[in-house]
């Protein structure tokens, strides 16, 4: 699909219109997951493992069943057996099968007439455990004698003889590494570690389920994908997808963390058993112990460079643990690691590892931030040691059109060089620095994708338009979709209303993830609008008694295509809508697609930090994000993605971490001790949007949401390392870690 | 005949070849032929793979046309956050 | 558990409710009174999503017991707009896109309003420290701080 | 759980004394409610005293101030008189939690919670603050320093509770300061902390000094050697070096999720040094 015109003039796209859900969200009326209630509903609560790893010998629910107000208790025995291995893992994460695999793993659930009754009943469930040895560290879990989290889960790519915790292995790259390293003037090889972080959405998971004994059900929940929830739940409950209608509430953040199910199948099972609606709302502690986190990693990176800054060879070995179940995250880290570079010789190895931690869930550009952190740290250190400008070195080695990418394909048009040049020309790059201050930069990359998408666009009798799409609006997408519909139809933005369908009202849509919505739903919306326009043209042509070819669409009206078509006053959408009944019935357009061509995305972040040499405290002084966003449909929300992603990355770099004790228990399951950035930690986050049109989208749109979390880890680490005078190689760079490094440097 | 590039850890299942010749004119035929010629690739293909055609990544899209004019690279199935 | 009868004034309206002694004001607002504008992000005072004012003081409603509010004056997000007239802060938050998912927005609006009543002309640093107890995970705070300043300038002018 | 608002201190003491289950006094509630939410404590009886006479008042008394046990951090921070006299005490209190928490949290609650990291306590200790305790046998006064006895523990006897804190008068050329270290800029529990209170003579020589450190021992710790390092000096480099050494020597912290032994020890010294310099400047000293 070609871009309509490379320099198309837009009337609505690119403006900063108010969002349609705005008033509800500033007045407290918007209904999020926990805001939904039903008459006669029960409250569900989940019993969770106090152990990191244990066999469940028995579960005695008799006392809980007899307790005041208790209406149902479920365990994994209440679930069916899905065909799909991935969904079986989700099921076993929702309620443990025969072993608890991590601290916080769900075991059983109660539905009772009040929250307090449910809470009291949970304590009456008696579980007999056989405690098993546990492992939470990735390197420890890879050792041959490590405690085995799950056996028989390794994919075929894993060589024989490794720990059974190693479930996957990937390798990417090309060229002659030995020759490349032999040709280098300087080689640096370092080992890095990063802690697991959580998506940290402010809204805990919540749902309300109503499932009858006949298998017909309704589910309301906060999710990034109602269709995904339906498919998972139907399989886990053993009911047909058609019988379960899932409606997504407003969603209070996800960042990947709400791309799976945790409580919904449990609530449905409780509802089926009790015959009443059941609501479950997770506590913040449950959110930390049992949902979300991203991988923790251990990584080796080796890069060789000529004295002029040209990279001769690069190698990375990534070890990612993603909790107690297999996952694919290391594949993306391994592909993304060197994506920003044009390399003659490159190799990336990845190992996926299971530990006694919660099941890893996608977090914004999954796998990429950590790998790129390690790579960009080594590049920066090479620049320091060879006394080279770090931006010039990136420009010298930058991937561009025709570059054989480190992950396999040859790049088409990409925006990295333009983004680097924008950074180089920005006043931030040459602003003076003071004592104990350092400047860091990093490139970032994400693939982006499109995916399954349905859009239905309906013309109302007054000439206004309703758009029905199937992706929860996590950051203003109803505005951008309405904008694209209005743009395509040539009508004002406020004549379009976009709503999000439940699972029975529209065909399947992939989850809101991968920066896909503005790209793919936008694309489908434009196509649906074009279908409606074609229909309107056909109606008018018939009315005028001329061929459809003899009419054309212009500025929201149907007009004669030329003088031969005869004299006809143009008919607006409203004119056509008013006579829809008489000309053949309701007018609508729809489009269903599995969209591809999302186009990869690059960003560059620039940051200044100051490090207190006596305490190791880091202050972020100035931060600028440069990113190729394709056409920015709603620039405010593009900037918002760039700023929000940057700040999540800052948190990852400086303070956020899952802390496990020797007992395998999570020590900081609260927003007090899991330290997400607060307003006073940060400067303004300046943004520079580059609009290099994506040829895969009719308006040139490119996904923007994932890439911004990728560069901050290395950008901050490079800035801190320069400010502190010593290279930091472990995240988070908490003050004790920085002070320790400074002390070691001083002590030689 | 098209040439398809396999990533490093897949090559062990295709006689250690980086580039594999396959008689296919679209993505579906490519997957079928790969599974047929190299059965050890089948588990990974069944779990899901993407295809890059001249640098554009396709996640499913069986009917994506390919020819010996294209650069064709097999990639892991993309996910996001 | 004995149920307590409480009478308060919420957004100017005399309001009576029953609650157990261990129920937080947040529980009362959400579960007893159907006022779900205040959100529970943590229940432990760490996120600010449940912010309300109690007798003019900004508080986390999760850290106040319902039984403590006898005779109190409470302001919640539901009372911030005057009919269909949005408060300046609400309007500017929309105009300047100071929200993405919106879950933290009610708490931040209540907190910002409380700030501007006390300090109509704050510095950016003062805004950032005042709002440090209101976590936002989407925006990186940038547009929030700017929107508060825009609204403050407008309110000073008015 | 029962919630009771007694109508007098005497009745409150009796209620506390007679209670057989788990009882908690509700001050600001910012610790008790968190502990209840986390299911760490489930009180059978919650006693609310905020409405009783004097509990929410700050009154001038003998050149100092008596601060009611239910005065919130925000209210304390708005009090010009206390700010002028004991700025370090105010800044310690105001560092606790968010603006929202400040609307509820109290010094007495912070003290009685018994956390080694309590932000309001070190500066109260260096100020020589006195806690007024009510109990079954009436009222008594003890130094704040003697209240905490270990993590989560206080010296209060059965039936006793604190009704106010007295911050004494202080001479001219005197002031105090409190600093803590946290990983973020707000919202964290202190990893280490230090309060310093100084009195200077007309030449800027330190005639009296108190140094207290927090979060580096089971309770707040007054460091006499640190005081000695400062007295008789104008906080010259040598004095500061001795101060830092004395503070570091007095630390016996733990390794935990919030900080290491080495980090806590090192930063306690740094904070004491910085707090001393702030207090010195506030007291009118010029170095």
């Amino acid at each position: 699909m070609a871009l309509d015109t490379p320099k198309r003039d837009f009337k609505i796209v690119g403006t900063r219109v108010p969002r349609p859900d705005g008033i509800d969200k500033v007045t407290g009326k918007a209904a999020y997951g926990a805001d939904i209630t039903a008459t006669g509903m029960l409250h569900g609560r989940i019993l969770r493992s106090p152990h990191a790893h244990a066999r469940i010998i028995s579960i005695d629910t008799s006392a809980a069943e007899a307790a005041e107000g208790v209406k149902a208790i479920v365990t994994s025995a209440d679930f069916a057996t899905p065909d799909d291995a991935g969904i079986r893992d989700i099921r076993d994460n929702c309620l443990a099968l025969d072993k608890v695999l991590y601290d916080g793993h769900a075991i059983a659930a109660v539905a009772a007439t009040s929250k307090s009754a449910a809470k009291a009943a949970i304590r009456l469930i008696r579980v007999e455990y056989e405690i098993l040895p546990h492992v939470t560290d990735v390197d420890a879990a890879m050792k041959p004698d490590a405690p085995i989290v799950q056996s028989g889960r390794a994919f075929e790519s894993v060589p024989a003889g490794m720990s059974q915790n190693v479930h996957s292995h990937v390798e990417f790259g090309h060229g002659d590494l030995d020759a490349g390293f032999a040709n280098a003037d300087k080689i640096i090889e370092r080992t890095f570690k990063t802690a697991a972080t959580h998506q940290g959405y402010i809204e805990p998971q919540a749902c309300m389920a109503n499932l009858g004994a006949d298998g017909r059900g309704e589910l309301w929940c906060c999710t990034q994908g109602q269709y995904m929830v339906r498919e998972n739940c139907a399989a886990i409950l053993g009911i047909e997808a058609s019988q379960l209608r899932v409606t997504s509430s407003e969603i209070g953040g996800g960042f990947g963390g709400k791309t799976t199910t945790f409580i919904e199948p449990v609530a449905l099972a409780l509802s089926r058993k009790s015959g009443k609606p059941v609501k479950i709302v997770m506590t913040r502690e449950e959110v930390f112990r049992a949902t979300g986190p991203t991988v923790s990693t251990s990584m080796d990176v080796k890069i060789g460079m000529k004295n002029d800054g040209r990279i001769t060879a690069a190698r990375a070995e990534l070890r990612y643990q993603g909790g107690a179940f297999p996952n694919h995250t290391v594949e993306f880290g391994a592909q993304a690691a060197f994506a920003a570079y044009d390399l003659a010789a490159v190799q990336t190895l990845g190992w996926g590892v299971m530990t006694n931690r919660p099941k890893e869930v996608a977090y914004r550009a999954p796998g990429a931030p950590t790998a790129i952190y390690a790579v960009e740290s080594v590049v920066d250190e090479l620049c320091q040691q060879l006394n080279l400008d770090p931006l010039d070195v990136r420009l010298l080695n930058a991937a561009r059109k025709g570059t054989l990418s480190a992950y396999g394909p040859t790049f088409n048009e990409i925006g990295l060089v333009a983004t680097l040049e924008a950074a180089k020309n920005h006043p931030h790059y040459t602003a003076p620095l003071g004592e104990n201050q350092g400047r860091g930069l990093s490139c970032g990359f994400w693939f982006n994708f499109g995916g399954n998408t349905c859009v239905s666009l309906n013309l109302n009798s007054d000439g206004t338009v309703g758009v029905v799409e199937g992706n929860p609006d996590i950051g203003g997408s109803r505005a951008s979709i309405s904008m694209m519909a209005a743009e395509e139809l040539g009508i004002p933005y406020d004549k379009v209303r976009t709503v999000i369908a439940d699972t029975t009202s529209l065909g399947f849509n992939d989850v809101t993830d991968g920066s896909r919505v503005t790209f793919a739903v936008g694309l489908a919306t434009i196509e649906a609008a074009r279908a409606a326009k074609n229909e309107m043209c056909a109606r008018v042509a018939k009315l005028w008694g001329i061929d459809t070819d003899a009419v054309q669409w212009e500025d929201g009206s149907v007009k004669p295509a030329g003088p031969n078509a005869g004299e006809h006053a143009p008919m607006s959408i409203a004119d056509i809508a008013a006579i829809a009944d008489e000309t053949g019935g309701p007018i609508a357009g729809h489009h269903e697609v599995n969209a591809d061509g999302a186009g990869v995305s690059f960003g560059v972040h620039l940051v200044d930090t100051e490090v207190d040499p006596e305490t190791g405290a880091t202050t972020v002084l100035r931060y600028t994000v440069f990113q190729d966003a394709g056409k920015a449909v709603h620039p405010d929300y593009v900037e918002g993605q760039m700023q929000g992603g940057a700040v999540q990355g800052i948190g990852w770099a400086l303070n956020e971490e899952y802390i496990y004790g020797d007992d395998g228990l999570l020590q900081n399951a609260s927003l007090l001790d899991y330290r997400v950035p607060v307003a006073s930690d940060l400067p303004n986050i300046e943004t520079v949007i580059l609009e290099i049109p994506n040829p895969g989208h009719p308006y040139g749109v490119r996904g923007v949401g994932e890439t911004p979390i990728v560069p901050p880890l290395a950008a901050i680490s490079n800035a801190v390392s320069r400010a502190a005078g010593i290279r930091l190689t472990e995240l988070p760079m908490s003050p004790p870690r920085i002070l320790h490094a400074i002390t070691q440097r001083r002590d030689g | 005949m098209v040439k398809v590039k396999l990533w490093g850890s897949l090559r062990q299942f295709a006689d250690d070849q980086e580039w594999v010749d396959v008689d296919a004119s679209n993505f579906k035929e490519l997957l079928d032929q790969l599974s047929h010629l190299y059965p050890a690739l089948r588990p990974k293909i069944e779990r899901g793979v993407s295809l890059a055609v001249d640098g554009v990544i396709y996640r499913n899209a069986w009917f994506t046309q390919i020819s010996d004019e294209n650069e064709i690279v097999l990639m892991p199935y993309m996910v996001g956050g | 558990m004995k149920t307590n009868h409480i009478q308060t004034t919420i957004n100017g309206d005399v309001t009576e409710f029953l609650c157990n002694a261990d129920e937080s004001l947040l529980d009362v607002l959400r579960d007893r009174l159907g006022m779900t504008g205040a959100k529970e992000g943590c229940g432990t005072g760490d996120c600010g999503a449940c912010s309300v004012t109690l007798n003019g003081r900004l508080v986390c409603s999760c850290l106040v017991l319902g039984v403590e509010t006898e005779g109190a004056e409470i302001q919640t997000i539901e009372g911030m707009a005057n009919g269909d007239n949005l408060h300046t802060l609400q309007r500017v938050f929309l105009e300047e896109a100071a929200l993405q998912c919106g879950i933290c927005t009610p708490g931040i609006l209540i907190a910002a309003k409380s700030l501007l009543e006390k300090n109509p002309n704050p510095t950016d640093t003062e805004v950032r420290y005042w709002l440090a107890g209101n976590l936002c995970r989407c925006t990186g705070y940038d547009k929030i701080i700017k929107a508060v300043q825009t609204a403050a300038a407008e309110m000073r002018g008015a | 759980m029962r919630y009771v608002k007694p109508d007098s201190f005497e009745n409150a003491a009796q209620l506390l004394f007679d209670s057989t289950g788990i009882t908690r006094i509700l001050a600001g509630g910012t610790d008790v409610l968190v502990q209840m939410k986390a299911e760490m404590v489930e009180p059978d009886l919650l006693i609310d005293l905020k409405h009783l006479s004097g509990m929410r008042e700050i009154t001038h008394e003998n050149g100092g101030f008596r601060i009611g046990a239910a005065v919130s951090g925000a209210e304390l921070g708005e009090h010009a008189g206390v700010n002028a006299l004991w700025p370090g005490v105010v800044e310690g209190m105001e560092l606790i939690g968010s603006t929202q928490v400040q609307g509820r949290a109290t010094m007495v609650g912070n003290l009685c919670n018994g956390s080694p990291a309590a932000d309001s306590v070190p500066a109260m200790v260096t100020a020589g603050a006195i806690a007024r305790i009510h109990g079954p046998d009436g009222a008594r006064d003890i130094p704040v320093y003697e209240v905490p006895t270990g993590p989560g523990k206080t010296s209060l006897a059965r039936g006793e509770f604190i009704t106010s804190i007295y911050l004494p008068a202080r001479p001219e050329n005197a002031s105090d300061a409190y600093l803590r270290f946290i990983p973020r800029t707000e919202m964290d529990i202190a990893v280490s902390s230090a309060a310093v209170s100084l009195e200077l003579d007309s030449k800027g020589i330190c005639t009296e000094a108190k140094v207290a450190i927090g979060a580096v021992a089971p309770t707040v710790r007054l460091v006499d050697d640190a005081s000695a390092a400062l007295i008789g000096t104008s906080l010259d480099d040598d004095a500061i070096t001795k101060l830092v050494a004395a503070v570091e020597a007095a630390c016996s912290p733990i390794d935990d999720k919030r900080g290491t032994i080495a980090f806590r020890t090192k930063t306690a010294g740094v904070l004491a040094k910085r707090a001393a310099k702030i207090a010195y400047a506030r007291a009118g000293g010029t170095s």
Side-chain angles (χ1 to χ4, degrees), chain A residues 437-475:
Chain A
Q437 297 181 355
R439 176 164 299 141
L441 77 92
S442 171
C443 297
F445 164 84
W446 185 244
F447 302 95
N448 292 338
F449 57 77
N452 291 293
T453 308
C454 297
V455 167
S456 176
L457 182 148
N458 300 300
L459 185 61
N460 303 320
S461 59
D462 60 358
T464 61
V465 168
V467 176
V468 185
E469 52 123 331
N471 277 95
D473 176 353
I474 204 157

Side-chain angles (χ1 to χ4, degrees), chain A residues 600-612:
Chain A
V600 299
S601 162
F602 287 93
V604 175
H605 290 201
L606 207 50
V607 59
D608 299 347
T609 63
E610 180 169 326
V611 172
D612 182 337

Side-chain angles (χ1 to χ4, degrees), chain A residues 16-296:
Chain A
R16 298 174 188 249
V17 295
R19 58 195 282 168
D21 52 326
I23 298 228
D24 281 358
K25 285 184 175 163
V26 297
T27 55
K29 287 191 287 187
Y32 293 82
D35 299 336
I36 291 153
T37 55
T39 47
M41 76 179 186
L42 304 174
H43 298 269
R45 198 167 168 104
I46 295 170
L47 174 69
R48 297 185 179 278
S49 169
H51 304 296
H53 195 192
R55 192 170 309 286
I56 300 172
I57 307 292
S58 65
I59 303 174
D60 177 2
T61 59
S62 55
E65 276 161 33
E68 175 69 28
V70 172
K71 300 296 180 189
I73 297 177
V74 296
T75 64
S76 62
D78 293 275
F79 286 158
T81 302
D83 296 332
D84 182 277
I87 298 180
R88 283 199 300 276
D89 281 350
I90 291 169
R91 174 198 66 179
D92 299 344
N93 193 43
C94 288
L95 286 173
L97 211 51
D98 55 349
K99 283 207 306 183
V100 288
L101 299 171
Y102 57 91
D103 169 30
H105 196 169
I107 298 165
V110 170
T113 49
S114 70
K115 287 186 201 170
S116 51
K119 194 167 159 181
I122 280 294
R123 294 186 198 165
L124 298 174
I125 298 175
R126 295 277 163 259
V127 183
E128 193 185 338
Y129 299 99
E130 176 198 342
I131 309 285
L132 301 170
H134 63 268
V135 60
T136 56
D137 177 76
V138 62
D139 292 322
M142 288 181 76
K143 294 207 167 95
D145 58 347
I148 296 167
V149 179
Q150 290 197 58
S151 51
R153 298 305 306 267
F155 296 128
E156 62 285 348
S157 56
V158 177
M162 300 193 77
S163 162
Q164 295 202 55
N165 295 325
V166 180
H167 59 73
S168 66
H169 171 57
V170 285
E171 181 190 336
F172 296 92
H174 58 254
D176 186 342
L177 276 185
D178 292 339
F181 283 121
N183 192 28
D185 293 320
K186 182 90 193 168
I187 295 171
I188 289 180
E189 181 170 17
R190 282 204 180 270
T191 298
F192 299 85
K193 290 203 89 161
T194 68
T197 55
H198 193 276
Q199 296 83 355
Y201 36 79
I202 306 300
E203 179 199 33
Q205 270 84 353
C207 71
M208 234 257 316
N210 187 11
L211 179 61
D214 60 358
R216 292 210 172 104
E218 298 274 346
L219 180 68
W220 295 263
C221 60
C222 55
T223 176
Q224 288 178 243
Q226 63 273 47
Y227 299 88
M228 168 277 296
V229 171
R230 179 189 66 181
E231 307 221 332
N232 288 349
C233 290
I236 292 169
L237 275 294
I239 59 177
E240 290 177 1
S242 64
Q243 300 304 310
L244 180 61
R245 178 164 73 158
V246 182
T247 306
S248 57
S249 66
E250 295 296 337
I251 175 170
F255 319 108
K258 291 174 183 165
T259 58
T260 186
T261 45
F262 297 102
I263 53 173
E264 295 85 353
V266 179
L268 284 164
L270 285 169
S271 176
R272 181 164 63 185
K273 211 162 187 176
S274 64
K276 295 186 187 312
V278 174
K279 179 172 175 175
I280 297 182
V281 181
M282 273 188 160
T283 64
R284 177 55 57 181
E285 186 196 350
E286 288 181 285
V287 168
F288 276 120
R289 286 172 72 203
T291 77
T294 182
V295 293
S296 70

Side-chain angles (χ1 to χ4, degrees), chain A residues 45 119 123 283 612 614-615 617 655 659 667-668 671-678 680-681 735-736 739, chain D residues 36-39 42 181-189 256-260 263 266-267 270 273-274:
Chain A
R45 198 167 168 104
K119 194 167 159 181
R123 294 186 198 165
T283 64
D612 182 337
E614 291 188 317
T615 65
N655 276 314
I659 304 171
Q667 297 195 338
N668 60 333
L671 286 168
L672 179 66
D673 285 312
Y674 182 89
R675 304 185 193 98
V676 305
V678 301
S680 50
D681 293 343
L739 189 63
Chain D
M36 285 163 59
K37 179 83 182 181
E39 300 181 38
E42 291 186 14
F181 186 85
I182 54 171
R184 293 181 288 188
T185 51
E186 275 282 355
M187 303 304 291
D188 292 330
I189 304 291
D256 74 357
K257 62 191 172 189
R258 291 173 185 150
T260 59
F263 182 77
K266 180 79 168 59
T267 51
V270 171
K273 171 179 74 174
R274 293 178 182 179

Side-chain angles (χ1 to χ4, degrees), chain D residues 225-243:
Chain D
D225 289 349
S227 306
L230 300 180
I231 291 171
T233 78
S234 55
L235 270 59
D236 52 81
D237 289 351
D238 186 44
I240 292 290
T241 304
K242 285 180 182 153
L243 162 76

Side-chain angles (χ1 to χ4, degrees), chain A residues 14 97 158 167 198 318 329 344 358 380 433 442 478 483 519 574 671:
Chain A
L97 211 51
V158 177
H167 59 73
H198 193 276
L318 314 175
T329 303
D380 192 64
L433 287 168
S442 171
R478 274 166 293 193
M483 290 169 83
F519 168 78
L671 286 168

